[in-house]
Amino acid sequence: MSGKSLEGRVAFITGGLRGIGRACAERLAAEGAAVVIADLDSEDEANKIIRDHGLRADYIRADVTSETDWQRAHQFVAERHGQLHILVNNAGTDLTGAVEDIRMEDWRRIMAINVDGVFLGTKTFTPMLAKSGTVVEGGSSIINVSSIMGLVGMSEVSAYNTSKGAVRMFTKGIAMEFAAKTMPIRANSLHPGFVETPLLHAGFQRWVDSGAAEKVQDLIDGMNEATPMGRLAQPSEIAGPVAFLAGPDSSYMTGTELVIDGGWTAQ
């Protein structure tokens, strides 16, 4: 994708200060979109990250599990931009462990962040996306970040599998709902494989702490070896497909999943 394909559009990205979210913010801004980032950092911390990485974005502190915070975010976007064309539900967390060892509170937390957050964002912004979608080619776009773990299972990842599978099916449901109502909103899920992000490193560190490996690099090497392309993805390699789904080049895509995994699920 080249040029300013998203000129005049407004994008809202959750979990946008780090990893995939930040890469998406950088790419959508480069494509001409006005970007609003939501995350959990204080405004001072967020503004430092935005400055240090040369991001062109507004920031609002918001917890994706809080409907009140989503309503504040809606008010922020309405007052600042008056419209919204792109919603990237990216914020997420992980949880590993044998099913018999998973605590109920941890199960509920991952579902709240990974599933409830996607639902609340969609619920809150659908009217604004519908209105804004009437004036841009291809309509508005909701991009829900799932995972290849929403497509295939993995040992001791059942909670994460469940949450990301739910994101995939929720996306299909809303896509059909919008199409049936002829609302100008497309909805697609994104399924990254293993991406070199702070979340992945933190997850690998927990495996090391549990005695499953001696060091994080051993786990990275193992993932590289298990991936047909022989390496982890970089966040920028996920941001490009997000920009594609956000804009007019994907105008006939809705209710589908876009897999970016270096061949992992093709095995």
Side-chain angles (χ1 to χ4, degrees):
M1 189 177 280
S2 60
K4 299 285 188 179
S5 64
L6 302 178
E7 195 76 52
R9 303 193 190 207
V10 180
F12 189 92
I13 304 171
T14 64
L17 289 178
R18 296 171 182 81
I20 292 171
R22 189 171 72 211
C24 290
E26 291 169 348
R27 180 60 184 268
L28 297 188
E31 296 290 348
V35 174
V36 179
I37 288 172
D39 218 313
L40 290 174
D41 297 57
S42 70
E43 285 198 19
D44 288 344
E45 292 167 331
N47 288 332
K48 182 179 187 305
I49 292 170
I50 288 170
R51 286 195 308 271
D52 289 351
H53 291 273
L55 281 171
R56 288 180 289 121
D58 293 324
Y59 177 74
I60 181 169
R61 187 184 186 282
D63 177 350
V64 297
T65 70
S66 165
E67 189 163 14
T68 299
D69 279 13
W70 274 109
Q71 290 165 351
R72 283 196 308 103
H74 182 279
Q75 183 177 359
F76 181 89
V77 173
E79 292 175 354
R80 190 67 58 97
H81 299 285
Q83 55 186 344
L84 186 70
H85 310 90
I86 303 157
L87 173 62
V88 184
N89 284 311
N90 165 73
T93 189
D94 64 359
L95 175 63
T96 58
V99 66
E100 66 269 25
D101 296 331
I102 296 173
R103 298 183 305 173
M104 192 64 192
E105 56 263 40
D106 294 332
W107 174 273
R108 285 179 171 151
R109 179 176 180 271
I110 193 172
M111 298 306 160
I113 295 170
N114 291 6
V115 184
D116 296 356
V118 174
F119 159 71
L120 287 170
T122 301
K123 171 184 169 67
T124 302
F125 275 114
T126 287
M128 186 182 289
L129 288 163
K131 183 177 179 180
S132 302
T134 62
V135 296
V136 292
E137 183 184 353
S140 293
S141 178
I142 296 174
I143 302 156
N144 293 328
V145 180
S146 179
S147 165
I148 58 170
M149 294 300 136
L151 301 171
V152 297
M154 178 174 279
S155 176
E156 299 199 4
V157 189
S158 60
Y160 189 71
N161 283 143
T162 302
S163 69
K164 291 303 187 178
V167 170
R168 173 177 177 263
M169 291 310 301
F170 175 74
T171 304
K172 291 183 182 298
I174 59 171
M176 294 303 95
E177 181 176 328
F178 299 150
K181 296 176 180 177
T182 64
M183 292 172 69
I185 308 173
R186 297 178 296 107
N188 296 284
S189 57
L190 196 76
H191 297 260
F194 295 95
V195 186
E196 196 159 359
T197 65
L199 182 65
L200 179 131
H201 277 264
F204 280 179
Q205 185 59 56
R206 286 195 296 274
W207 281 98
V208 170
D209 294 343
S210 73
E214 288 189 9
K215 54 184 185 295
V216 168
Q217 190 59 48
D218 291 341
L219 293 169
I220 291 174
D221 291 343
M223 286 301 177
N224 289 341
E225 205 173 305
T227 302
M229 287 186 68
R231 62 177 177 83
L232 301 180
Q234 295 302 309
S236 61
E237 295 178 292
I238 311 304
V242 168
F244 166 69
L245 288 176
D249 285 348
S250 60
S251 59
Y252 199 57
M253 288 179 67
T254 196
T256 192
E257 54 264 359
L258 188 57
V259 181
I260 313 105
D261 68 351
W264 181 279
T265 57
Q267 301 177 92

PDB file of all heavy atoms in Angstrom, residues 157-182:
ATOM      1  N   VAL A 157      -2.678 -23.503  26.745  1.00  0.00           N
ATOM      2  CA  VAL A 157      -3.057 -22.162  26.294  1.00  0.00           C
ATOM      3  C   VAL A 157      -4.579 -22.100  26.116  1.00  0.00           C
ATOM      4  O   VAL A 157      -5.098 -21.300  25.361  1.00  0.00           O
ATOM      5  CB  VAL A 157      -2.315 -21.808  24.971  1.00  0.00           C
ATOM      6  CG1 VAL A 157      -2.511 -20.346  24.592  1.00  0.00           C
ATOM      7  CG2 VAL A 157      -0.818 -22.059  25.091  1.00  0.00           C
ATOM      8  N   SER A 158      -5.305 -22.945  26.815  1.00  0.00           N
ATOM      9  CA  SER A 158      -6.747 -23.077  26.570  1.00  0.00           C
ATOM     10  C   SER A 158      -7.512 -21.777  26.806  1.00  0.00           C
ATOM     11  O   SER A 158      -8.457 -21.461  26.064  1.00  0.00           O
ATOM     12  CB  SER A 158      -7.330 -24.188  27.441  1.00  0.00           C
ATOM     13  OG  SER A 158      -7.140 -23.915  28.827  1.00  0.00           O
ATOM     14  N   ALA A 159      -7.150 -21.011  27.825  1.00  0.00           N
ATOM     15  CA  ALA A 159      -7.872 -19.765  28.107  1.00  0.00           C
ATOM     16  C   ALA A 159      -7.648 -18.753  26.994  1.00  0.00           C
ATOM     17  O   ALA A 159      -8.598 -18.093  26.529  1.00  0.00           O
ATOM     18  CB  ALA A 159      -7.425 -19.191  29.446  1.00  0.00           C
ATOM     19  N   TYR A 160      -6.409 -18.628  26.550  1.00  0.00           N
ATOM     20  CA  TYR A 160      -6.100 -17.701  25.457  1.00  0.00           C
ATOM     21  C   TYR A 160      -6.760 -18.173  24.169  1.00  0.00           C
ATOM     22  O   TYR A 160      -7.341 -17.371  23.423  1.00  0.00           O
ATOM     23  CB  TYR A 160      -4.586 -17.598  25.296  1.00  0.00           C
ATOM     24  CG  TYR A 160      -4.127 -16.523  24.348  1.00  0.00           C
ATOM     25  CD1 TYR A 160      -4.226 -15.177  24.682  1.00  0.00           C
ATOM     26  CD2 TYR A 160      -3.566 -16.841  23.104  1.00  0.00           C
ATOM     27  CE1 TYR A 160      -3.793 -14.184  23.828  1.00  0.00           C
ATOM     28  CE2 TYR A 160      -3.127 -15.863  22.236  1.00  0.00           C
ATOM     29  CZ  TYR A 160      -3.246 -14.541  22.599  1.00  0.00           C
ATOM     30  OH  TYR A 160      -2.819 -13.552  21.737  1.00  0.00           O
ATOM     31  N   ASN A 161      -6.688 -19.491  23.889  1.00  0.00           N
ATOM     32  CA  ASN A 161      -7.386 -20.053  22.740  1.00  0.00           C
ATOM     33  C   ASN A 161      -8.858 -19.646  22.746  1.00  0.00           C
ATOM     34  O   ASN A 161      -9.419 -19.221  21.722  1.00  0.00           O
ATOM     35  CB  ASN A 161      -7.318 -21.582  22.745  1.00  0.00           C
ATOM     36  CG  ASN A 161      -6.003 -22.160  22.288  1.00  0.00           C
ATOM     37  OD1 ASN A 161      -5.554 -23.173  22.834  1.00  0.00           O
ATOM     38  ND2 ASN A 161      -5.381 -21.582  21.296  1.00  0.00           N
ATOM     39  N   THR A 162      -9.497 -19.808  23.894  1.00  0.00           N
ATOM     40  CA  THR A 162     -10.924 -19.519  24.016  1.00  0.00           C
ATOM     41  C   THR A 162     -11.222 -18.052  23.740  1.00  0.00           C
ATOM     42  O   THR A 162     -12.152 -17.705  22.998  1.00  0.00           O
ATOM     43  CB  THR A 162     -11.423 -19.893  25.418  1.00  0.00           C
ATOM     44  OG1 THR A 162     -11.157 -21.274  25.645  1.00  0.00           O
ATOM     45  CG2 THR A 162     -12.903 -19.624  25.573  1.00  0.00           C
ATOM     46  N   SER A 163     -10.436 -17.170  24.338  1.00  0.00           N
ATOM     47  CA  SER A 163     -10.686 -15.733  24.174  1.00  0.00           C
ATOM     48  C   SER A 163     -10.500 -15.304  22.726  1.00  0.00           C
ATOM     49  O   SER A 163     -11.302 -14.526  22.182  1.00  0.00           O
ATOM     50  CB  SER A 163      -9.790 -14.921  25.108  1.00  0.00           C
ATOM     51  OG  SER A 163      -8.426 -14.984  24.710  1.00  0.00           O
ATOM     52  N   LYS A 164      -9.476 -15.796  22.076  1.00  0.00           N
ATOM     53  CA  LYS A 164      -9.203 -15.366  20.699  1.00  0.00           C
ATOM     54  C   LYS A 164     -10.140 -16.033  19.702  1.00  0.00           C
ATOM     55  O   LYS A 164     -10.474 -15.455  18.657  1.00  0.00           O
ATOM     56  CB  LYS A 164      -7.738 -15.634  20.347  1.00  0.00           C
ATOM     57  CG  LYS A 164      -6.761 -14.733  21.109  1.00  0.00           C
ATOM     58  CD  LYS A 164      -7.059 -13.259  20.880  1.00  0.00           C
ATOM     59  CE  LYS A 164      -6.010 -12.336  21.488  1.00  0.00           C
ATOM     60  NZ  LYS A 164      -6.285 -10.905  21.220  1.00  0.00           N
ATOM     61  N   GLY A 165     -10.598 -17.247  20.021  1.00  0.00           N
ATOM     62  CA  GLY A 165     -11.634 -17.862  19.206  1.00  0.00           C
ATOM     63  C   GLY A 165     -12.938 -17.094  19.290  1.00  0.00           C
ATOM     64  O   GLY A 165     -13.667 -16.943  18.300  1.00  0.00           O
ATOM     65  N   ALA A 166     -13.237 -16.581  20.477  1.00  0.00           N
ATOM     66  CA  ALA A 166     -14.444 -15.771  20.665  1.00  0.00           C
ATOM     67  C   ALA A 166     -14.371 -14.495  19.837  1.00  0.00           C
ATOM     68  O   ALA A 166     -15.379 -14.063  19.248  1.00  0.00           O
ATOM     69  CB  ALA A 166     -14.628 -15.436  22.141  1.00  0.00           C
ATOM     70  N   VAL A 167     -13.201 -13.877  19.781  1.00  0.00           N
ATOM     71  CA  VAL A 167     -13.026 -12.664  18.967  1.00  0.00           C
ATOM     72  C   VAL A 167     -13.319 -12.974  17.498  1.00  0.00           C
ATOM     73  O   VAL A 167     -13.989 -12.202  16.797  1.00  0.00           O
ATOM     74  CB  VAL A 167     -11.610 -12.096  19.141  1.00  0.00           C
ATOM     75  CG1 VAL A 167     -11.332 -10.996  18.118  1.00  0.00           C
ATOM     76  CG2 VAL A 167     -11.416 -11.566  20.552  1.00  0.00           C
ATOM     77  N   ARG A 168     -12.819 -14.092  17.024  1.00  0.00           N
ATOM     78  CA  ARG A 168     -13.051 -14.484  15.626  1.00  0.00           C
ATOM     79  C   ARG A 168     -14.543 -14.615  15.338  1.00  0.00           C
ATOM     80  O   ARG A 168     -15.050 -14.073  14.341  1.00  0.00           O
ATOM     81  CB  ARG A 168     -12.342 -15.804  15.339  1.00  0.00           C
ATOM     82  CG  ARG A 168     -12.636 -16.406  13.972  1.00  0.00           C
ATOM     83  CD  ARG A 168     -11.834 -17.681  13.761  1.00  0.00           C
ATOM     84  NE  ARG A 168     -12.143 -18.311  12.498  1.00  0.00           N
ATOM     85  CZ  ARG A 168     -13.005 -19.311  12.329  1.00  0.00           C
ATOM     86  NH1 ARG A 168     -13.659 -19.805  13.385  1.00  0.00           N
ATOM     87  NH2 ARG A 168     -13.234 -19.827  11.137  1.00  0.00           N
ATOM     88  N   MET A 169     -15.271 -15.317  16.188  1.00  0.00           N
ATOM     89  CA  MET A 169     -16.688 -15.557  15.922  1.00  0.00           C
ATOM     90  C   MET A 169     -17.543 -14.311  16.170  1.00  0.00           C
ATOM     91  O   MET A 169     -18.525 -14.074  15.469  1.00  0.00           O
ATOM     92  CB  MET A 169     -17.195 -16.729  16.756  1.00  0.00           C
ATOM     93  CG  MET A 169     -16.629 -18.067  16.324  1.00  0.00           C
ATOM     94  SD  MET A 169     -16.762 -18.390  14.535  1.00  0.00           S
ATOM     95  CE  MET A 169     -18.537 -18.282  14.286  1.00  0.00           C
ATOM     96  N   PHE A 170     -17.168 -13.493  17.152  1.00  0.00           N
ATOM     97  CA  PHE A 170     -17.880 -12.231  17.356  1.00  0.00           C
ATOM     98  C   PHE A 170     -17.762 -11.369  16.110  1.00  0.00           C
ATOM     99  O   PHE A 170     -18.736 -10.736  15.672  1.00  0.00           O
ATOM    100  CB  PHE A 170     -17.296 -11.496  18.573  1.00  0.00           C
ATOM    101  CG  PHE A 170     -17.884 -10.124  18.795  1.00  0.00           C
ATOM    102  CD1 PHE A 170     -19.170  -9.979  19.304  1.00  0.00           C
ATOM    103  CD2 PHE A 170     -17.158  -8.985  18.495  1.00  0.00           C
ATOM    104  CE1 PHE A 170     -19.716  -8.717  19.504  1.00  0.00           C
ATOM    105  CE2 PHE A 170     -17.693  -7.719  18.692  1.00  0.00           C
ATOM    106  CZ  PHE A 170     -18.973  -7.584  19.200  1.00  0.00           C
ATOM    107  N   THR A 171     -16.580 -11.354  15.516  1.00  0.00           N
ATOM    108  CA  THR A 171     -16.357 -10.554  14.321  1.00  0.00           C
ATOM    109  C   THR A 171     -17.254 -11.010  13.182  1.00  0.00           C
ATOM    110  O   THR A 171     -17.837 -10.183  12.458  1.00  0.00           O
ATOM    111  CB  THR A 171     -14.881 -10.637  13.899  1.00  0.00           C
ATOM    112  OG1 THR A 171     -14.047 -10.229  14.993  1.00  0.00           O
ATOM    113  CG2 THR A 171     -14.600  -9.744  12.703  1.00  0.00           C
ATOM    114  N   LYS A 172     -17.380 -12.313  13.005  1.00  0.00           N
ATOM    115  CA  LYS A 172     -18.265 -12.824  11.952  1.00  0.00           C
ATOM    116  C   LYS A 172     -19.715 -12.432  12.223  1.00  0.00           C
ATOM    117  O   LYS A 172     -20.465 -12.060  11.312  1.00  0.00           O
ATOM    118  CB  LYS A 172     -18.124 -14.344  11.846  1.00  0.00           C
ATOM    119  CG  LYS A 172     -16.773 -14.790  11.297  1.00  0.00           C
ATOM    120  CD  LYS A 172     -16.721 -16.295  11.137  1.00  0.00           C
ATOM    121  CE  LYS A 172     -15.362 -16.747  10.630  1.00  0.00           C
ATOM    122  NZ  LYS A 172     -15.028 -16.216   9.309  1.00  0.00           N
ATOM    123  N   GLY A 173     -20.119 -12.513  13.487  1.00  0.00           N
ATOM    124  CA  GLY A 173     -21.490 -12.172  13.846  1.00  0.00           C
ATOM    125  C   GLY A 173     -21.831 -10.722  13.555  1.00  0.00           C
ATOM    126  O   GLY A 173     -22.869 -10.419  12.955  1.00  0.00           O
ATOM    127  N   ILE A 174     -20.952  -9.801  13.957  1.00  0.00           N
ATOM    128  CA  ILE A 174     -21.255  -8.381  13.715  1.00  0.00           C
ATOM    129  C   ILE A 174     -21.156  -8.049  12.231  1.00  0.00           C
ATOM    130  O   ILE A 174     -21.915  -7.210  11.731  1.00  0.00           O
ATOM    131  CB  ILE A 174     -20.361  -7.449  14.554  1.00  0.00           C
ATOM    132  CG1 ILE A 174     -18.871  -7.654  14.260  1.00  0.00           C
ATOM    133  CG2 ILE A 174     -20.674  -7.594  16.036  1.00  0.00           C
ATOM    134  CD1 ILE A 174     -17.959  -6.620  14.909  1.00  0.00           C
ATOM    135  N   ALA A 175     -20.255  -8.715  11.511  1.00  0.00           N
ATOM    136  CA  ALA A 175     -20.148  -8.467  10.070  1.00  0.00           C
ATOM    137  C   ALA A 175     -21.457  -8.804   9.374  1.00  0.00           C
ATOM    138  O   ALA A 175     -21.949  -8.052   8.515  1.00  0.00           O
ATOM    139  CB  ALA A 175     -18.998  -9.284   9.475  1.00  0.00           C
ATOM    140  N   MET A 176     -22.056  -9.942   9.733  1.00  0.00           N
ATOM    141  CA  MET A 176     -23.335 -10.328   9.137  1.00  0.00           C
ATOM    142  C   MET A 176     -24.460  -9.387   9.572  1.00  0.00           C
ATOM    143  O   MET A 176     -25.356  -9.059   8.799  1.00  0.00           O
ATOM    144  CB  MET A 176     -23.663 -11.773   9.520  1.00  0.00           C
ATOM    145  CG  MET A 176     -22.702 -12.805   8.937  1.00  0.00           C
ATOM    146  SD  MET A 176     -22.565 -12.753   7.120  1.00  0.00           S
ATOM    147  CE  MET A 176     -21.111 -11.696   6.894  1.00  0.00           C
ATOM    148  N   GLU A 177     -24.409  -8.947  10.818  1.00  0.00           N
ATOM    149  CA  GLU A 177     -25.421  -8.014  11.322  1.00  0.00           C
ATOM    150  C   GLU A 177     -25.375  -6.702  10.561  1.00  0.00           C
ATOM    151  O   GLU A 177     -26.409  -6.183  10.115  1.00  0.00           O
ATOM    152  CB  GLU A 177     -25.190  -7.783  12.813  1.00  0.00           C
ATOM    153  CG  GLU A 177     -26.194  -6.858  13.465  1.00  0.00           C
ATOM    154  CD  GLU A 177     -25.970  -6.741  14.964  1.00  0.00           C
ATOM    155  OE1 GLU A 177     -25.520  -7.729  15.588  1.00  0.00           O
ATOM    156  OE2 GLU A 177     -26.239  -5.656  15.517  1.00  0.00           O
ATOM    157  N   PHE A 178     -24.170  -6.151  10.393  1.00  0.00           N
ATOM    158  CA  PHE A 178     -24.035  -4.882   9.674  1.00  0.00           C
ATOM    159  C   PHE A 178     -24.459  -5.027   8.211  1.00  0.00           C
ATOM    160  O   PHE A 178     -25.126  -4.155   7.643  1.00  0.00           O
ATOM    161  CB  PHE A 178     -22.603  -4.359   9.762  1.00  0.00           C
ATOM    162  CG  PHE A 178     -22.128  -4.069  11.161  1.00  0.00           C
ATOM    163  CD1 PHE A 178     -20.784  -4.187  11.496  1.00  0.00           C
ATOM    164  CD2 PHE A 178     -23.013  -3.677  12.153  1.00  0.00           C
ATOM    165  CE1 PHE A 178     -20.333  -3.921  12.772  1.00  0.00           C
ATOM    166  CE2 PHE A 178     -22.579  -3.406  13.447  1.00  0.00           C
ATOM    167  CZ  PHE A 178     -21.226  -3.531  13.756  1.00  0.00           C
ATOM    168  N   ALA A 179     -24.057  -6.138   7.585  1.00  0.00           N
ATOM    169  CA  ALA A 179     -24.409  -6.353   6.178  1.00  0.00           C
ATOM    170  C   ALA A 179     -25.922  -6.483   6.008  1.00  0.00           C
ATOM    171  O   ALA A 179     -26.508  -5.928   5.072  1.00  0.00           O
ATOM    172  CB  ALA A 179     -23.698  -7.596   5.649  1.00  0.00           C
ATOM    173  N   ALA A 180     -26.561  -7.210   6.930  1.00  0.00           N
ATOM    174  CA  ALA A 180     -28.007  -7.398   6.846  1.00  0.00           C
ATOM    175  C   ALA A 180     -28.759  -6.077   6.969  1.00  0.00           C
ATOM    176  O   ALA A 180     -29.836  -5.892   6.392  1.00  0.00           O
ATOM    177  CB  ALA A 180     -28.475  -8.370   7.926  1.00  0.00           C
ATOM    178  N   LYS A 181     -28.193  -5.147   7.716  1.00  0.00           N
ATOM    179  CA  LYS A 181     -28.818  -3.839   7.923  1.00  0.00           C
ATOM    180  C   LYS A 181     -28.320  -2.803   6.919  1.00  0.00           C
ATOM    181  O   LYS A 181     -28.679  -1.625   7.023  1.00  0.00           O
ATOM    182  CB  LYS A 181     -28.536  -3.340   9.343  1.00  0.00           C
ATOM    183  CG  LYS A 181     -29.151  -4.206  10.438  1.00  0.00           C
ATOM    184  CD  LYS A 181     -28.738  -3.705  11.815  1.00  0.00           C
ATOM    185  CE  LYS A 181     -29.343  -4.545  12.925  1.00  0.00           C
ATOM    186  NZ  LYS A 181     -28.878  -4.095  14.271  1.00  0.00           N
ATOM    187  N   THR A 182     -27.497  -3.246   5.970  1.00  0.00           N
ATOM    188  CA  THR A 182     -26.835  -2.359   4.992  1.00  0.00           C
ATOM    189  C   THR A 182     -26.140  -1.179   5.676  1.00  0.00           C
ATOM    190  O   THR A 182     -26.164  -0.056   5.180  1.00  0.00           O
ATOM    191  CB  THR A 182     -27.811  -1.858   3.906  1.00  0.00           C
ATOM    192  OG1 THR A 182     -28.842  -1.035   4.501  1.00  0.00           O
ATOM    193  CG2 THR A 182     -28.433  -3.021   3.148  1.00  0.00           C
TER     194      THR A 182
END
